[in-house]
Structure formats: structure tokens, C-alpha cells
């Protein structure tokens, strides 16, 4: 399947999840993440702020703040500038921005991406070899491609978003793992 077909199919499926089931799956993903060694040892975490039918990251953001971790979220001013990284201390520092996604307000402190210990990646579909199909704008691929150090990139997804394989282009960045409601998947050694 082409990326556009995968996006259409998976997004339709993701948007049709019953809210009670979604809450249970989100809780399971949250517990799997916060009990992982990657999360426990990370001091500075970059996460997407969940939007629409994405895995809920609000619990993760609150947990990181309450455990005195530095939590950073993306801000996009334009496609050309790409992702800028900002530290937040509470949800009060977020407002609707690009595409209606919650973003940090102007007074938040910008953070150097090379200070990150863990990146939580959004996306539409993934495979067990590190393949990722995003939303098509390549914001995360461009953001990660010029980092100075390796940082674990973990996708948060529902189990049905993990496919046998996804198409990858040469500029696509591979992820290191996936956390679903059913399992933690390491893609780094495949």
C-alpha cells in the first residue's frame, strides 16, 4: 500500500474507536511507558501534544511535570521553520496553534534539541523494523535528521497501527521502539 492509502485506512480506524476502549488503551500505554527504563532514566523528554484520535499524551505530560522531569513540546510557526522545542511547566502554558494543535505560549523557554533524553513520536502507522508513516509534512523527520546525538525515538500507538511493513523513503527517520496497549516493541535490533 502507498503511504496515502495507509493514512486513510488507519486514520479512519483510529477515529472510530469507542471512547471507553480508547480510555483503557491510553491508560495501558501510559502505564507501559512510565514503568519503562527509558522513561525512568530520561530527564528531558520531548513529546507531541495529542490531537484528535492520537494516543493521549496529556497524562504523560502531567506525570513528567509532577516527577520534576523537563517536558518539551513542539511549536510550528511555518513549514519552512519546522519544529521548535519549548519547555512547559503546566497545561496552562498551551494554546491552540498550527492546525489547531496545542502549542506552548510565547513566554515558554526554547530548548536545545541536543539536550533531549527521549522523544515520543506521533504517527499514523509503524512496523517492527522502525518504519514510520507520519502525517505527510515530514516535520519530525527534518527535526531529528540534524540532531547531534542519538536519542531514543519511541512511537505511541494503538496495536492496529503496527503493520507488517510500511513504505520508507530515504529521508524517513526510523524509530527505536513502539509502545502499544498490548506490548513494548523494540525495533532497534531488527
Amino acid at each position: 500500500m502507498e503511504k496515502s492509502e495507509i493514512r486513510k485506512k488507519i486514520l479512519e480506524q483510529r477515529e472510530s474507536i469507542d471512547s471507553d476502549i480508547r480510555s483503557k488503551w491510553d491508560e495501558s500505554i501510559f502505564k507501559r511507558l512510565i514503568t519503562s527504563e527509558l522513561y525512568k532514566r530520561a530527564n528531558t523528554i520531548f513529546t507531541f501534544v495529542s490531537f484528535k484520535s492520537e494516543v493521549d499524551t496529556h497524562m504523560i505530560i502531567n506525570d513528567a511535570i509532577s516527577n520534576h522531569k523537563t517536558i518539551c513540546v513542539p511549536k510550528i510557526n511555518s513549514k519552512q521553520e519546522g519544529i521548535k522545542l519549548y519547555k512547559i511547566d503546566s497545561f496552562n502554558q498551551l494554546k491552540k496553534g498550527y492546525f489547531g494543535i496545542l502549542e506552548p505560549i510565547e513566554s515558554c523557554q526554547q530548548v536545545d534539541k541536543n539536550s533531549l533524553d527521549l522523544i515520543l513520536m506521533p504517527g499514523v502507522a509503524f512496523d517492527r523494523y522502525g518504519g514510520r508513516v507520519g502525517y505527510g509534512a515530514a516535520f519530525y523527520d527534518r527535526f531529528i535528521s540534524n540532531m547531534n546525538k542519538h536519542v531514543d525515538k519511541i512511537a505511541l500507538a494503538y496495536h492496529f497501527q503496527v503493520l507488517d511493513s510500511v513504505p520508507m523513503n530515504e529521508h524517513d527517520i526510523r524509530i527505536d521502539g513502539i509502545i502499544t496497549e498490548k506490548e513494548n516493541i523494540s525495533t532497534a535490533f531488527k
Side-chain angles (χ1 to χ4, degrees):
M1 269 196 291
E2 296 286 325
K3 286 184 178 184
S4 59
E5 293 174 87
I6 291 171
R7 282 188 193 103
K8 184 178 187 308
K9 179 183 174 226
I10 296 294
L11 288 174
E12 283 174 1
Q13 194 172 352
R14 203 173 72 182
E15 288 161 12
S16 69
I17 302 168
D18 176 80
S19 62
D20 290 340
I21 292 170
R22 179 186 303 282
S23 293
K24 287 178 187 160
W25 289 356
D26 286 342
E27 181 70 25
S28 178
I29 292 167
F30 168 72
K31 286 178 180 170
R32 285 180 170 282
L33 173 68
I34 66 165
T35 58
S36 73
E37 286 305 312
L38 281 175
Y39 182 82
K40 287 179 185 177
R41 69 175 180 249
N43 293 316
T44 305
I45 300 169
F46 172 44
T47 184
F48 61 102
V49 181
S50 52
F51 180 66
K52 293 187 177 177
S53 64
E54 291 178 324
V55 169
D56 179 18
T57 59
H58 296 207
M59 291 183 285
I60 296 162
I61 292 168
N62 283 327
D63 182 81
I65 291 169
S66 69
N67 283 296
H68 310 291
K69 294 179 182 285
T70 299
I71 193 81
C72 304
V73 297
K75 181 174 178 66
I76 298 171
N77 294 320
S78 69
K79 191 167 182 174
Q80 292 72 33
E81 281 185 56
I83 292 175
K84 301 287 185 203
L85 204 57
Y86 292 87
K87 177 183 184 286
I88 62 166
D89 299 311
S90 80
F91 268 92
N92 296 336
Q93 293 178 308
L94 297 175
K95 67 173 187 179
K96 283 189 179 180
Y98 202 77
F99 291 125
I101 299 169
L102 291 175
E103 292 186 338
I105 58 176
E106 289 74 23
S107 62
C108 290
Q109 173 189 347
Q110 192 167 350
V111 176
D112 177 3
K113 64 183 170 183
N114 293 303
S115 68
L116 298 176
D117 300 315
L118 176 62
I119 299 173
L120 301 178
M121 300 278 289
V124 177
F126 309 91
D127 67 31
R128 293 173 183 272
Y129 306 98
R132 172 183 171 270
V133 174
Y135 294 95
F139 284 119
Y140 280 81
D141 292 317
R142 285 185 289 145
F143 176 78
I144 291 167
S145 68
N146 59 11
M147 289 184 71
N148 292 338
K149 71 174 191 176
H150 175 79
V151 178
D152 288 306
K153 298 167 291 301
I154 305 299
L156 303 178
Y158 302 121
H159 195 71
F160 66 83
Q161 292 177 258
V162 181
L163 308 178
D164 291 337
S165 69
V166 297
M168 294 283 287
N169 299 332
E170 74 178 57
H171 68 273
D172 291 339
I173 301 291
R174 291 195 177 273
I175 56 172
D176 301 301
I178 310 163
I179 297 178
T180 76
E181 74 279 8
K182 293 184 178 180
E183 63 182 326
N184 293 6
I185 301 167
S186 173
T187 64
F189 305 107
K190 296 197 177 194

